[in-house]
Amino acid sequence: MIFGRSERGKPPVEPVTLKILVAGGFGVGKTTLVGAVSEIRPLRTEELLTEAGRPVDDTSGVEAKNTTTVAMDFGRITLREDLVLYLFGTPGQERFWFMWDELSEGALGAVVLADTRRLEDCFAAIDYFERRAIPFLVGVNCFEGAARYPADDVRRALDLDDHVPLLMCDARDRESVKETLIGVVQHAMAQAAQRRQTVTT
Ligand SMILES: Nc1nc2c(ncn2[C@@H]2O[C@H](COP(=O)(O)OP(=O)(O)OP(=O)(O)O)[C@@H](O)[C@H]2O)c(=O)[nH]1
Ligand SMILES: [Mg+2]
């Protein structure tokens, strides 16, 4: 890592790097989220949605969408000088889900993006992380034109455990995404601390 001038003289800080997954249903804004915060040019694996895929690719609600992620998105954000997140966006469509096990290897936590117009699309991601005890939070991506519901209603509809945080966010907005990512890190740390306590007591 290269440090700026102001860092000269100080011992270099080796940053902690954490892996965060960005999951959720098809077209919910995962690629957008990674692109909004990444300080490196995000690696994308977009393919054009084709006429042939039309019967299986449900674009209702995201009609303007003409590409889809087929492997993953990859980005990086430095939250603090000593804390760097590597972001891995998962493919949304079920036919690419064989990628998930590999992508989730070593992940600290995850954001499950949800769209209130198609909440059921994120059920599978929630189940996936619950089953593997990977800490996650739900980020409701507030698309314009989508009805706004109180957080408690969304929680109930998703049948979320009380300890799982739910935040409203805008996948296009850097600050909003940053807050969401900080939320994941805090939640994962709190979960880890709790687990340690249960082991030692
Ligand atoms: N209005 C609005 N549009 C958004 C928002 N987030 C994403 N979009 C748009 O929604 C579409 C889908 O976004 P993507 O980021 O490709 O979604 P994805 O979850 O990566 O999709 P897949 O990889 O195909 O599952 C794009 O056309 C985005 O420009 C948002 O917060 N508000
Ligand atoms: Mg994508």
Side-chain angles (χ1 to χ4, degrees):
M1 176 145 190
I2 298 166
F3 291 93
R5 255 175 227 283
S6 59
E7 297 297 323
R8 212 189 286 153
K10 286 191 204 166
V13 189
E14 201 49 54
V16 173
T17 58
L18 302 174
K19 177 176 180 180
I20 305 286
L21 297 176
V22 182
F26 174 57
V28 75
K30 301 175 293 292
T31 300
T32 306
L33 182 149
V34 174
V37 289
S38 185
E39 60 209 9
I40 53 173
R41 191 152 64 89
L43 169 76
R44 291 186 174 151
T45 56
E46 297 293 284
E47 293 290 342
L48 279 177
L49 284 166
T50 60
E51 203 51 46
R54 202 170 288 278
V56 274
D57 301 338
D58 176 14
T59 54
S60 53
V62 281
E63 286 81 1
K65 189 170 162 63
N66 53 17
T67 63
T68 189
T69 304
V70 294
M72 64 166 186
D73 304 300
F74 176 72
R76 188 190 70 201
I77 174 171
T78 306
L79 281 186
R80 276 190 334 230
E81 178 191 10
D82 57 350
L83 181 59
V84 173
L85 303 187
Y86 285 103
L87 304 176
F88 290 76
T90 58
Q93 296 186 78
E94 277 173 41
R95 57 198 168 105
F96 298 121
W97 275 26
F98 60 89
M99 294 286 306
W100 280 46
D101 288 337
E102 217 137 311
L103 285 176
S104 62
E105 192 79 32
L108 173 86
V111 181
V112 174
L113 272 182
D115 176 350
T116 54
R117 295 168 300 180
R118 337 200 274 168
L119 266 189
E120 63 283 1
D121 287 11
C122 71
F123 290 172
I126 290 177
D127 284 348
Y128 184 93
F129 296 124
E130 272 178 351
R131 228 171 290 140
R132 285 164 183 78
I134 297 175
F136 69 96
L137 63 70
V138 173
V140 179
N141 190 14
C142 300
F143 285 84
E144 298 107 45
R148 302 290 154 100
Y149 299 97
D152 277 347
D153 291 2
V154 181
R155 273 185 164 289
R156 221 165 307 125
L158 293 175
D159 195 19
L160 275 192
D161 280 348
D162 288 342
H163 74 275
V164 176
L166 179 133
L167 305 173
M168 301 294 159
C169 69
D170 183 335
R172 298 161 303 174
D173 182 84
R174 189 181 154 81
E175 284 310 308
S176 169
V177 172
K178 228 168 137 177
E179 252 169 58
T180 309
L181 294 172
I182 291 170
V184 178
V185 174
Q186 284 174 339
H187 176 56
M189 297 293 185
Q191 293 263 96
Q194 211 169 29
R195 254 181 242 163
R196 267 198 304 275
Q197 219 167 25
T198 345
V199 172
T200 51
T201 54

